[in-house]
Amino acid sequence: FLVATSPRGGTVALWSLSSGAYLGRLAMPDVCGLAADSEGKHFWVSSGLVEISRLVASETGLTFEARWHTDTQFDNHLTVL
């Protein structure tokens, strides 16, 4: 999967690497940070509005698996350790 974020558009978008097909998007205001886990089907995203989310990608699109609100604002840098 290929995932991209658009802070100004408030969007996380998903494409299939195998077919090149656009698979959909999720709304998330000021989303920017993005990191994939080792499975390649789960993605972490952060926003400047104090939110971190874990997304699940599938051929039917993206879904939120978990969402957290924090006391910290994030920029566009995320790393999965």
Side-chain angles (χ1 to χ4, degrees):
F1 294 103
L2 171 72
V3 176
T5 61
S6 172
R8 290 186 181 173
T11 298
V12 183
L14 176 70
W15 288 264
S16 170
L17 286 177
S18 59
S19 70
Y22 172 72
L23 301 174
R25 65 186 178 98
L26 288 176
M28 186 175 176
D30 200 33
V31 64
C32 196
L34 172 65
D37 70 6
S38 61
E39 297 174 27
K41 293 184 180 180
H42 294 90
F43 296 86
W44 294 88
V45 291
S46 63
S47 81
L49 302 176
V50 301
E51 185 174 348
I52 296 177
S53 298
R54 185 172 184 207
L55 308 177
V56 179
S58 72
E59 292 297 326
T60 59
L62 281 169
T63 56
F64 286 102
E65 184 175 73
R67 296 175 95 165
W68 297 271
H69 291 275
T70 71
D71 293 329
T72 304
Q73 289 182 298
F74 295 91
D75 64 4
N76 60 339
H77 301 97
L78 280 181
T79 302
V80 175
L81 303 175

